[in-house]
Amino acid sequence: MCQNNNSSIETPKKRVLSCIQPSGMLTLGNYLGALKNFAAMGKDPEFECIYAVADLHAITVRQDPKEFRARILSTYALLLSIGLDPQKAIIFIQSHVPEHTQLSWVLSCYTQFGEMSRMTQFKDKSKKRPENVNVGLFSYPDLMAADILLYNPDYVPVGEDQKQHVEITRDIAARFNGIYGDVFKMPEAYIPKVGARVMSLQDPQKKMSKSDENPNAYIGILDKPEEIMRKMKRAVTDSQSTVEVGEGRYGINNLIGIYGTITGKTADEVKKEFEGRGYGDFKAAVGEAVAEELRPIRENYERFISDKGELERLYRAGDEMAEHLARRTLRKVMKKVGFIGF
Ligand code: TRP
C-alpha cells in the first residue's frame, strides 16, 4: 500500500496530487489533456499519486441532487477505469475528507481579497453566469489550495487554465510558512508535455466541450467505436489535401494533435505516414486510434459501474488513506495558528 505515514518531505518518491470535477460526460479532451497523464503518472514507480473527485468544487454551479450523485460515482469509476490501481494510488472523494473544507477556511484568512479578485477563471465565469456569482465561486481557489496543501505534493498536474490557481496556492503557502515556519511544501504545477489541447471537431477554433449543443463536436470518453468513427468522419477539415500542420489549418492541426498524442508520433511522422493519401484515410486512422485507446476504458468502466458495492468499498478505502494524511497536516496548521485541543 502506498501508505507512507511519514512526511512526504522524506519520501524518495515524488508525490503527485490532482483532482477532477464530476462534470457530466468527460470528453476526449479531458482524457488527452488530463486523465491520460494521471494514468501514466499513476503507473510510474517514481511517483506516488493521490487523485480525488472534486465534488465540493462542483456546487459553485447548481446541481440536480440525483444527477450529481450519479456523476460523482461515475467520475470515481472513471478514475479507476483509466487504469489506476487503487492499491498504488490513493483515489478518493473530496467531500468525504472534511479536512479540505476546514483547511480552506483557515487559508481564506491568509488570502487577500485583492489577489483573489485577479483570478481570471472567476472573472470569466462570473461574466458568463451573472445570475449566480456566489461567494463559493470567488473563494474556489482557497478550497483548491487546501486540496493541494493538505497532502504536501511535489507536483500538481493541471491544465493551462488551472495554473493560476496553483500559483495562488504557492503564494498562500509561502505567506503561511513565512509566519509560522515550514508547514507546507511548495507545490509545482505540472503541465503535461504531451497532453494535447483538443479542439471541437465541428469548430476547431473552439475547445472541445461536452456542453456543445452539437454532439458531433465532441467525443465522449465512453463513446462506442461506431460513434467515434462517425464523428471523426464528419470532422471539419479544410480545402487543402495534405496531412500537415499549418497556420490556420485548425481542423487538420487538431486531428494531427489527437493522433500524435495517442500514437506518440510527431507531426512529421504523421505527415510521412499519410503522404499521398486523402483526408478520408487520415480521419479513419484517427478514429480507429481513438476508438482503440478508449475501448479498454469503456470496458473497465462498464464493469466498475455495475458493482456499486465494490465501488463503495474502494472509495471508502481511498477516503480513509487520504484522511489519514490530511488530518496530520490540518492538526499541524491548527496548532501553529494557536487553536487549542489539537
Ligand atoms: N479546479 C480544478 C478543475 O476544475 C479541479 C481541482 C480541484 C484541482 N482541486 C484541485 C486540480 C486540486 C488540481 C489540484 O480542473
Side-chain angles (χ1 to χ4, degrees):
M1 225 32 106
C2 58
Q3 289 239 9
N4 190 331
N5 292 334
N6 293 308
S7 146
S8 62
I9 298 164
E10 284 142 26
T11 90
K13 290 193 182 206
K14 294 287 184 192
R15 184 176 283 176
V16 171
L17 175 129
S18 198
C19 307
I20 183 158
Q21 290 203 42
S23 15
M25 196 218 311
L26 294 165
T27 68
L28 179 66
N30 301 110
Y31 176 70
L32 293 181
L35 292 171
K36 189 173 161 68
N37 181 58
F38 282 17
M41 291 180 110
K43 286 176 197 151
D44 189 332
E46 224 181 283
F47 299 120
E48 169 192 44
C49 296
I50 305 175
Y51 297 125
V53 176
D55 53 349
L56 292 169
H57 277 105
I59 63 164
T60 54
V61 178
R62 199 69 67 239
Q63 300 285 346
D64 170 75
K66 191 162 163 252
E67 263 173 44
F68 189 38
R69 240 171 254 133
R71 278 192 201 164
I72 295 168
L73 199 64
S74 74
T75 306
Y76 189 82
L78 196 64
L79 278 177
L80 298 170
S81 307
I82 57 174
L84 289 170
D85 178 353
Q87 303 292 320
K88 293 209 186 94
I90 298 179
I91 312 170
F92 72 103
I93 297 178
Q94 182 193 31
S95 65
H96 294 180
V97 180
E99 284 78 1
H100 290 243
T101 35
Q102 291 175 282
L103 181 62
S104 171
W105 169 255
V106 176
L107 296 179
S108 76
C109 299
Y110 297 80
T111 309
Q112 296 304 301
F113 188 84
E115 65 184 336
M116 204 61 125
S117 312
R118 288 194 290 274
M119 293 295 110
T120 54
Q121 183 174 297
F122 172 71
K123 288 192 263 185
D124 291 348
K125 288 196 173 169
S126 41
K127 226 181 275 160
K128 261 193 224 154
R129 275 192 281 115
E131 73 292 348
N132 188 13
V133 184
N134 56 73
V135 176
L137 186 67
F138 182 73
S139 62
Y140 175 118
D142 270 324
L143 180 57
M144 182 158 159
D147 297 342
I148 297 170
L149 297 176
L150 278 172
Y151 300 95
N152 291 306
D154 296 279
Y155 301 121
V156 182
V158 284
E160 204 54 60
D161 64 321
Q162 298 294 318
K163 229 173 118 182
Q164 196 184 26
H165 293 160
V166 180
E167 289 303 317
I168 198 171
T169 298
R170 290 167 59 92
D171 292 342
I172 297 165
R175 186 172 303 142
F176 196 92
N177 286 352
I179 305 170
Y180 302 104
D182 275 345
V183 178
F184 299 123
K185 183 162 187 167
M186 272 305 157
E188 245 176 75
Y190 181 96
I191 313 279
K193 294 177 267 309
V194 277
R197 185 173 147 83
V198 179
M199 310 304 282
S200 157
L201 298 179
Q202 292 298 315
D203 178 0
Q205 280 179 268
K206 268 190 355 203
K207 203 171 137 179
M208 180 180 282
S209 161
K210 62 183 173 296
S211 45
D212 208 302
E213 62 287 352
N214 182 352
N216 288 325
Y218 61 85
I219 288 175
I221 294 189
L222 301 174
D223 278 1
K224 300 228 163 69
E226 312 82 73
E227 272 170 283
I228 296 172
M229 296 305 286
R230 185 172 48 74
K231 290 179 185 176
M232 274 300 168
K233 211 183 268 174
R234 296 192 182 162
V236 168
T237 49
D238 54 37
S239 56
Q240 303 185 42
S241 59
T242 55
V243 176
E244 161 175 39
V245 172
E247 180 103 29
R249 300 188 67 189
Y250 303 106
I252 284 295
N253 293 349
N254 186 36
L255 296 184
I256 293 175
I258 293 171
Y259 189 67
T261 306
I262 292 175
T263 60
K265 290 177 184 162
T266 64
D268 260 355
E269 288 167 337
V270 179
K271 178 184 166 189
K272 282 210 190 86
E273 185 178 350
F274 293 95
E275 209 130 62
R277 292 162 70 186
Y279 283 172
D281 271 11
F282 178 51
K283 286 181 180 180
V286 182
E288 257 159 50
V290 171
E292 278 318 304
E293 178 84 8
L294 298 181
R295 180 194 303 279
I297 298 171
R298 184 170 42 83
E299 288 170 358
N300 289 341
Y301 177 83
E302 280 162 9
R303 211 178 58 239
F304 280 119
I305 207 69
S306 64
D307 189 349
K308 302 283 192 303
E310 174 67 358
L311 272 178
E312 177 168 349
R313 194 188 66 71
L314 289 168
Y315 71 64
R316 292 280 175 227
D319 297 345
E320 209 175 289
M321 290 190 275
E323 186 160 21
H324 174 84
L325 298 170
R327 201 181 294 128
R328 299 178 65 238
T329 307
L330 184 72
R331 198 178 286 152
K332 196 163 165 189
V333 168
M334 299 306 266
K335 273 194 193 155
K336 290 279 188 188
V337 175
F339 287 102
I340 64 165
F342 281 86

